[in-house]
């Protein structure tokens, strides 16, 4: 079922969803199930599965030349999505990126998803890998998320890269895209960011999931600006409870997200790691309750492979 259909079927009730990381290379699917099992009591209608680009390293050969080799730290998402849908009977939503894919790779990936009965995808540009200062698209790939949305929507119309194919079958993907309440780190302003978000909706996206945020006012302001620009699709907030002191520095640095002073000081004053975890859970509970009271259709939690904090929040909210 499509994300938009889940929202319509809920009749105004706020739904619970979450996102998982693929396991590290060498681990099996049980590590995924172990992180999902504790959260199934909250009846998530769908679960997102992230995708990680292949990274490269260079190894010096005896000749002195450098050999470029792929380092794949996490497996892809197709098999994981199939396993989730088979075991839990809920929709799995794979993330699909511009980075690391040619357009032909993307088409083949989408065909595989369609064969598996996967109805939803989250279309993302993706971030630069460690070896890049700025994001670099594949030579034969999509440069922007809006281009990726267009390619997916073309498949929904039965338009393949090979225009000479005959009797093609149209796919029927529900396309989600990312939104940034505090603007994307590379955008010059929030208004310009929303301008390009509107283009993604125009190209075929039907819902938005936001980057994490810790101040609901910024989310509500973002939604208001989107509505003013004529964006009417559901906007799903992304939430994450703080769990360690290190995240006070890591989150602003990596995601360019501001942390409220009150939250920072509560974490600083916490006496130990368990106290920090409790501060993060309670802050996220307060965020969640306010969002539900405002009639937000889905609350989406970034689990980062750990479910205990998310479960504590969900128990208090859903």
């Amino acid at each position: 079922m499509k994300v938009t259909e889940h929202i319509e079927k809920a009749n105004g009730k706020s739904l619970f969803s979450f996102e998982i990381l693929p396991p590290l290379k060498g681990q099996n699917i049980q590590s995924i199930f172990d992180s999902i099992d504790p959260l199934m009591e909250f009846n998530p209608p769908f679960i997102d599965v992230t995708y990680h680009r292949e990274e490269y390293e260079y190894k010096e050969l005896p000749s002195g030349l450098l050999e470029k080799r792929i380092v794949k730290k996490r497996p892809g998402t197709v098999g994981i999505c199939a396993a989730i849908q088979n075991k839990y009977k809920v929709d799995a939503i794979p993330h699909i990126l511009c980075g690391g894919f040619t357009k032909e790779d993307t088409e083949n990936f989408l065909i595989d998803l369609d064969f598996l009965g996967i109805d939803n995808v989250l279309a993302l540009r993706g971030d630069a890998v460690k070896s890049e200062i700025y994001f670099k698209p594949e030579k034969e790939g999509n440069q922007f998320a809006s281009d990726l949305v267009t390619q997916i929507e073309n498949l929904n119309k039965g338009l393949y890269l090979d225009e000479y194919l005959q009797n093609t079958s149209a796919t029927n993907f529900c396309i989600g895209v990312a939104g940034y309440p505090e603007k994307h780190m590379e955008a010059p302003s929030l208004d310009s960011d929303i301008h390009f978000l509107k283009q993604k909706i125009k190209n075929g996206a039907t819902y938005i999931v936001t980057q994490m945020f810790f101040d609901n006012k910024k989310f509500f302001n973002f939604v208001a600006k989107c509505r003013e620009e004529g964006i009417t699709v559901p906007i799903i907030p992304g939430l994450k409870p703080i769990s360690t002191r290190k995240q006070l520095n890591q989150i602003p640095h990596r995601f360019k997200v501001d942390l409220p002073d009150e939250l920072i000081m509560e974490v600083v004053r916490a006496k130990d790691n368990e106290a920090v975890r409790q501060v993060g859970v309670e802050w996220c509970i307060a965020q969640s309750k306010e969002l539900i009271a405002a009639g937000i259709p889905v609350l989406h939690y970034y689990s980062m492979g750990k479910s205990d904090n998310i479960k504590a929040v969900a128990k208090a909210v859903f």
Side-chain angles (χ1 to χ4, degrees), residues 100-231:
F101 286 88
T102 66
K103 290 182 180 180
E104 185 174 359
D105 292 334
T106 297
E107 183 171 277
N108 291 335
F109 185 64
L110 291 165
I111 289 170
D112 285 344
L113 296 176
D114 188 48
F115 286 165
L116 290 168
I118 292 171
D119 297 325
N120 306 278
V121 293
L122 190 68
L124 306 166
R125 190 201 69 177
D127 298 324
V129 296
K130 292 179 181 178
S131 59
E132 299 171 346
I133 298 176
Y134 300 106
F135 170 80
K136 293 180 181 179
E138 293 296 311
K139 186 176 181 181
E140 301 296 330
N142 292 298
Q143 184 171 2
F144 302 108
S146 56
D147 301 327
L148 177 56
V149 171
T150 296
Q151 182 176 2
I152 300 168
E153 183 63 13
N154 282 342
L155 273 189
N156 283 347
K157 298 173 182 176
L159 302 175
Y160 289 69
L161 294 174
D162 184 350
E163 60 186 34
Y164 296 105
L165 289 177
Q166 296 182 352
N167 302 317
T168 56
S169 296
T171 57
N172 192 26
F173 292 112
C174 177
I175 308 169
V177 292
Y180 298 85
E182 299 176 59
K183 84 174 184 63
H184 189 276
M185 64 182 73
E186 297 175 16
S189 70
L190 180 58
D191 287 341
S192 68
D193 204 20
I194 291 174
H195 169 80
F196 290 108
L197 177 59
K198 186 176 181 179
Q199 185 63 49
K200 290 187 279 190
I201 304 304
K202 181 179 179 181
N203 290 6
T206 54
Y207 72 97
I208 297 165
V209 181
T210 77
Q211 172 66 280
M212 70 180 76
F213 58 90
F214 296 87
D215 182 347
N216 284 356
K217 290 179 182 178
K218 293 188 176 182
F219 173 76
F220 291 133
N221 178 58
F222 173 73
V223 172
K225 282 180 172 289
C226 286
R227 301 308 185 215
E228 288 171 5
E229 289 298 315
I231 297 173

Side-chain angles (χ1 to χ4, degrees), residues 7-18:
I7 292 172
E8 291 171 6
K9 188 178 177 181
N11 292 320
K13 178 184 176 182
S14 295
L15 301 172
F16 165 83
S17 73
F18 60 96

Side-chain angles (χ1 to χ4, degrees), residues 185 246-258:
M185 64 182 73
K246 287 182 179 179
Q247 290 175 341
L248 292 183
N249 302 111
Q250 291 173 338
I251 289 174
H253 174 73
R254 183 174 179 186
F255 300 102
K256 302 298 185 282
V257 169
D258 290 334

